[in-house]
């Protein structure tokens, strides 16, 4: 299993553009400190099936094509997310469920 783990007290606020693009990861738990996921951050991660957000997530924005061409099957968008950019989930044929916990999201 190829998973990404962050330090328990991670202060990471941004997952940079193309940070994990085309890697072999299949799961990730995004730390609560992350505020933005950049463009193509997880693009072309053909094995990525599980994306979870730490409780009390501070995530505010998901960049353009952030999960483009990945194999995620479902995702729960944290309540603080206000922006989901264009094509964030483009070409995700296995994606069957997106749960939105917030009520003020701009697409």
């Amino acid at each position: 299993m190829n998973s990404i783990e962050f330090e328990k007290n991670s202060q990471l606020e941004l997952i940079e553009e193309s940070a994990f693009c085309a890697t072999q990861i299949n799961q990730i738990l995004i730390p609560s400190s992350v505020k933005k996921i950049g463009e193509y951050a997880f693009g072309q991660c053909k094995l990525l099936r599980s994306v979870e957000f730490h409780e009390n997530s501070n995530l505010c924005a998901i960049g353009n094509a952030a999960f483009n061409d990945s194999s995620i099957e479902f995702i729960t968008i944290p309540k603080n997310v206000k922006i989901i950019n264009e094509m964030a989930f483009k070409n995700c044929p296995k994606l069957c469920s997106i749960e939105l916990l917030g009520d003020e999201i701009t697409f």
Side-chain angles (χ1 to χ4, degrees):
M1 177 182 321
N2 296 323
S3 63
I4 303 297
E5 294 184 33
F6 294 92
E7 293 288 326
K8 185 175 183 175
N9 296 319
S10 173
Q11 297 301 308
L12 180 69
E13 292 188 4
L14 170 65
I15 296 179
E16 297 278 347
E17 178 178 332
S18 302
F20 297 99
C21 187
T23 61
Q24 299 296 310
I25 66 170
N26 58 26
Q27 68 179 31
I28 188 166
L29 173 60
I30 311 270
S32 60
S33 58
V34 172
K35 294 180 180 178
K36 182 178 180 184
I37 297 174
E39 293 184 8
Y40 300 97
F42 299 97
Q44 299 177 358
C45 289
K46 305 279 187 187
L47 302 178
L48 182 61
R49 294 205 182 328
S50 175
V51 176
E52 295 182 37
F53 298 91
H54 194 273
E55 62 182 289
N56 302 318
S57 174
N58 288 305
L59 186 68
C60 296
I62 298 174
N64 185 39
F67 297 96
N68 178 55
D69 205 18
S70 70
S71 294
I72 58 174
E73 298 171 352
F74 63 89
I75 191 166
T76 299
I77 307 297
K79 65 181 177 182
N80 291 329
V81 173
K82 302 294 183 221
I83 299 169
I84 299 176
N85 281 293
E86 189 175 345
M87 299 185 289
F89 301 99
K90 181 181 177 193
N91 295 329
C92 295
K94 295 183 179 186
L95 183 61
C96 60
S97 174
I98 298 176
E99 182 180 6
L100 305 172
L101 298 181
D103 57 1
E104 295 182 28
I105 297 176
T106 302
F107 294 93

